[in-house]
Amino acid sequence: MAPHKGSDASKDTSDKHGYSVNPFYGEADPVGGMAAKPPRHRLPDGPVAPSTAYQFVRDELMLDGNSRLNLATFVTTWMETQAGVLMAECRDKNMIDKDEYPRTAELEQRCVTILADLWHAPDPLSAVGCSTTGSSEACMLAGMAFKRRWAQRNADRYPATARPNLVMGANVQVCWEKFCTFWEVEARQVPMEGDRYHLDPAAAAELCDENTIGVVTVLGSTFDGSYEPVADVCAALDALQERTGLDVPVHVDGASGAMIAPFLDEELTWDFRLPRVASINTSGHKYGLVYPGVGWALWRDKEALPEELVFRVNYLGGDMPTFALNFSRPGAQVAAQYYTFLRLGRDGFRAVQQMARDVAMSLARHIEELGDFRLLTRGDELPVFAFTTADGVENYDVFDVSRRLRERGWLVPAYTFPANREDLSVLRIVCRNGFTHDLADLFIQDLTQLLPELRRQPGPLDRPEGVATAFHH
């Protein structure tokens, strides 16, 4: 056997460049990392070990509230393990890149069709819609479609002499006020009156004129969980058209209720069965049961969404229509939405939403029985209810209750109502999937234990400088 000859380093070029290593693959100096004090408000000079960076961030986040005890938010705080795994597998897919990720795009279209069928679109297969980052973006898109359709009908007057307006209740989510400000539309709001905490159909019709681009109705007010009377609003606008010829379309902001009513209130007519309803939005990340980051906007048909608002791009490969305000965003939430639709079906959604409503109504009843509070709503529409202190309770107010509950981990917002009822301050509880009867019992125990101390106060404590909001969308 010929003797083995060592390699001639001067001739062998196979190892000339070595391995190309991603900088993230290498650990930082473990000893140096033990003494590292990375700055908080500028980039550190060098890297730290991934485990160290993880611990720094995790320790800070430990000071956040417990999301399961957050009774302020409408946003989903619990999903199954399989859904979490699926989202992790899809988080690097860009939703806008439909040429590279055609199956993700297909799942988005299936979700649009499913919602169109759920909301009784005339032809679900031809309904127009898209996913968004949430209901706020979806509302912006609906408002833009309203304004453009109105501008097309008034090309001889707009923008020279006509200023568009949008009619809504004073209880709308703040995104509608943003829309009116950003897109230069006059916001005409119907104030609350007495025990009416949402839009009045007759008052809405009275505010409409030739410059009205549409009327916004809310299926599930964030202030108290009540449904607005969509059918009655449409009827009032039908009568208006008969009298004046004005044809005013309606948008249904179904951020929460559009995923409740189809399963629990099937007899309620609020959706595309009403010819005047041109568009509907919902939050997939609320009662659509998906983690934050997905909403949906749907239009009755192609005529309801002006083609000129749809842009087409080809620089990612293929010809892709896009309408959303945002561009790049992860496809994980869309995949999770389709997973949830597939996982639950109609019967599963009905069971989940019924449980949330049952918990809300039971909890509302127990709070009323304490004697210190008066219910404004009872959780029998959205699984949400609002309550205030009862007549004769003078030692504390709703802001005191909110503060004391926070000390025990419960996040319950206290806030004042809008125009004409600013005198009314309330607490609101949102019951979501994962908030069980057991947790509701624990809440009642904590609230009951707080009441003796609150009753002994000499009077309400000072309100915070910025009164807590209703934790909208």
XYZ file of all heavy atoms in Angstrom, residues 51 74 90 111 298 301 346 375 414:
69
model
N -29.654 33.382 25.203
C -30.353 33.084 26.458
C -30.395 34.307 27.361
O -31.366 34.540 28.080
C -29.676 31.915 27.178
O -28.300 32.204 27.407
N -61.249 43.012 24.184
C -62.049 42.100 23.378
C -61.171 41.076 22.664
O -61.672 40.119 22.082
C -62.827 42.881 22.308
C -63.996 43.674 22.829
C -63.803 44.863 23.521
C -65.293 43.248 22.612
C -64.871 45.601 23.986
C -66.386 43.986 23.068
C -66.160 45.159 23.763
N -46.059 29.604 10.238
C -46.436 30.523 9.146
C -46.006 31.958 9.387
O -46.279 32.827 8.562
C -47.956 30.498 8.941
S -48.621 28.919 8.421
N -61.569 32.080 3.625
C -62.138 32.761 4.792
C -63.128 33.838 4.357
O -64.194 33.989 4.966
C -61.020 33.380 5.633
S -60.006 32.190 6.539
N -65.624 42.973 4.125
C -66.358 42.373 3.009
C -67.356 43.375 2.437
O -67.949 44.164 3.183
C -67.120 41.121 3.449
C -66.385 39.775 3.334
C -65.256 39.680 4.348
C -67.369 38.626 3.533
N -70.884 43.130 -3.158
C -70.520 42.691 -4.505
C -69.475 43.652 -5.056
O -69.061 44.609 -4.381
C -71.752 42.638 -5.419
C -72.604 43.905 -5.327
O -72.016 45.004 -5.182
O -73.839 43.804 -5.382
N -69.910 25.428 12.443
C -71.021 26.198 13.019
C -71.365 25.748 14.436
O -71.568 26.569 15.333
C -72.259 26.083 12.125
C -72.194 26.933 10.855
C -73.462 26.773 10.031
N -73.417 27.604 8.835
C -73.919 28.835 8.747
N -74.523 29.355 9.804
N -73.836 29.524 7.629
N -76.975 47.555 36.705
C -76.593 47.094 35.376
C -77.184 47.993 34.299
O -78.354 48.366 34.363
C -77.083 45.664 35.145
C -76.505 44.556 36.030
C -77.165 43.215 35.675
C -74.994 44.450 35.877
N -62.756 51.494 33.788
C -63.776 52.448 34.212
C -63.665 53.657 33.301
O -62.566 54.129 33.017
C -63.562 52.847 35.661
